[in-house]
Amino acid sequence: MVNLWNKDVEKKFFNESLAFATPEQLFYVTDDNRYLAYWPKGYPSEKNTLQSRNSLIGSFTEKWTTDLLQEVVKDKGLFAVQGAICEELALTGKSRADVVISKNKNIRQKPEDILTIFEVKMSVVWNWEFRNDGSGINLTCIGDYKTHEGNPGLLRSDSMLKAAGKSINIKVSNFKASKIPIIVMGNTPITNSYYSKVDHLKISGIVQGFWSVNPKPLDNNGENIKKTEKLGFYRFEKFDELRNSIESLLSEDWNFFSSMRSNKELGQIIELANREKTYEKKGEVFLRLINE
DNA sequence: TGCTCAAGCGTAGTCTCTTG
DNA sequence: CAAGAGACTACGCTTGAGCA
């Protein structure tokens, strides 16, 4: 039984990090000397911005996602690889893929071996209070993301834009990228101003999905979106549900294509492609012609 | 070879402006 | 008038190109 994102995972993040980082690097310190993961809504005094937690939560969530995906593909002879490099797909040492599913487990990858690219955009979602009263580390959840000032994960508009931008950068890097689906993995919902946009990104073939692997991001049965109309966004509630979606992603032979053509040109291309015998062949010829 | 430094990655707070 | 989007800022960390 594999669990998706939940409060225990965040607790684990703080517990692991406290082994080598100071509480001051992981928490805000309030006026009355409380150690909190986020400023509570309406905190009255002067606030500062914590920076030292950023890279820690970044690498923790990427590792956590890699392990989760590894569970999905391990019995298929495939591998989840963290920080993959593939120059042909604009995935360089400076701008790696967070996680890829591949036929091999090397950091350096060939486009032909990569089956899916995952961009991880996750944060600490809940607010936490840390205490160390001598008897050891004590972490208490003091509220969901509606109770603190933070705007975690995919709820930030610029995170959405960055994820979309990186996907486009990969898709236009090389025609070999057109066969590889790209998924943005988050642990929060998205704002309603992005509902129709994620569907358009999916339909136009740029991002195959914004997936949240946090089944219950809000306490007290708070309302939160399950999916958008065209499944551009989807919130997973069980590991098996995630496994099924990834399996169907891996089972098809995908193609991304984009172009600006006149109706006349398109008609000519379709006519030529239609002379082929099978649907697969028609598709192949269509794609070859549209890329010429 | 070892050094510096720009450019990339990451998250998060603040602020302004638009929108309803 | 309130809420949210997006721009901007901040800063910690890593990579790799250029250069002495």
Side-chain angles (χ1 to χ4, degrees):
Chain A
M1 175 67 193
V2 182
N3 285 317
L4 300 183
W5 191 270
N6 57 47
K7 290 184 187 177
D8 285 339
V9 180
E10 296 194 2
K11 232 174 173 169
K12 186 160 174 270
F13 164 70
F14 285 115
N15 271 312
E16 280 181 12
S17 302
L18 281 164
F20 55 86
T22 63
E24 288 77 15
Q25 289 175 303
L26 296 170
F27 299 95
Y28 294 98
V29 185
T30 66
D31 275 352
D32 48 354
N33 220 37
R34 297 168 76 198
Y35 284 72
L36 304 181
Y38 287 104
W39 298 112
K41 266 224 161 91
Y43 179 73
S45 315
E46 197 175 335
K47 288 175 277 193
N48 58 330
T49 309
L50 198 58
Q51 308 296 346
S52 38
R53 196 170 71 200
N54 298 352
S55 62
L56 295 174
I57 188 65
S59 41
F60 180 89
T61 54
E62 284 165 32
K63 171 73 163 51
W64 182 85
T65 304
T66 307
D67 292 344
L68 183 70
L69 295 174
Q70 185 64 44
E71 281 300 313
V72 176
V73 300
K74 65 178 183 187
D75 55 352
K76 298 174 182 28
L78 300 172
F79 303 90
V81 181
Q82 188 177 352
I85 292 175
C86 179
E87 263 90 11
E88 288 173 272
L89 303 181
L91 299 168
T92 60
K94 281 181 182 171
S95 181
R96 301 173 182 225
D98 291 343
V99 190
V100 301
I101 291 178
S102 170
K103 294 176 187 166
N104 69 72
K105 54 179 161 184
N106 306 325
I107 293 296
R108 300 204 93 86
Q109 293 281 339
K110 282 189 243 148
E112 296 78 13
D113 291 339
I114 298 176
L115 297 166
T116 311
I117 296 172
F118 291 88
E119 173 75 9
V120 179
K121 287 241 171 290
M122 299 188 189
S123 308
V124 173
V125 180
W126 281 274
N127 201 2
W128 295 87
E129 176 159 15
F130 162 79
R131 280 194 221 89
N132 192 348
D133 46 18
S135 60
I137 293 168
N138 185 317
L139 284 162
T140 313
C141 181
I142 58 169
D144 60 31
Y145 67 81
K146 296 210 168 176
T147 71
H148 62 66
E149 293 275 13
N151 221 192
L154 297 175
L155 289 168
R156 271 186 89 98
S157 55
D158 50 357
S159 293
M160 294 292 287
L161 292 171
K162 193 165 185 187
K166 183 153 178 179
S167 299
I168 291 172
N169 197 39
I170 296 169
K171 291 268 154 120
V172 301
S173 63
N174 190 310
F175 73 92
K176 288 177 181 170
S178 62
K179 302 194 92 59
I180 306 172
I182 300 176
I183 300 291
V184 179
M185 289 283 259
N187 59 359
T188 69
I190 58 174
T191 59
N192 55 14
S193 56
Y194 273 89
Y195 291 174
S196 64
K197 297 178 200 173
V198 293
D199 282 347
H200 281 122
L201 284 166
K202 181 177 159 80
I203 287 161
S204 59
I206 293 168
V207 180
Q208 279 57 56
F210 289 77
W211 292 0
S212 171
V213 286
N214 188 351
K216 291 183 70 178
L218 286 171
D219 297 337
N220 308 317
N221 274 325
E223 191 190 336
N224 80 100
I225 184 176
K226 170 70 180 168
K227 61 188 180 194
T228 53
E229 197 188 333
K230 310 274 187 196
L231 304 180
F233 173 83
Y234 195 88
R235 172 170 55 85
F236 291 89
E237 289 172 84
K238 291 262 159 53
F239 175 72
D240 286 345
E241 202 184 6
L242 176 71
R243 192 214 309 266
N244 290 341
S245 289
I246 291 176
E247 280 170 356
S248 76
L249 207 57
L250 297 175
S251 67
E252 279 283 342
D253 187 20
W254 303 95
N255 288 290
F256 165 78
F257 57 94
S258 62
S259 195
M260 283 289 277
R261 302 282 187 149
S262 68
N263 283 351
K264 188 179 170 190
E265 280 179 301
L266 271 177
Q268 288 166 340
I269 288 170
I270 290 166
E271 190 175 285
L272 281 170
N274 203 33
R275 291 180 191 164
E276 300 297 324
K277 291 236 154 46
T278 64
Y279 289 134
E280 283 78 8
K281 270 280 171 201
K282 289 176 205 275
E284 211 172 281
V285 170
F286 176 82
L287 286 174
R288 202 188 70 231
L289 293 173
I290 211 159
N291 284 317
E292 268 171 8

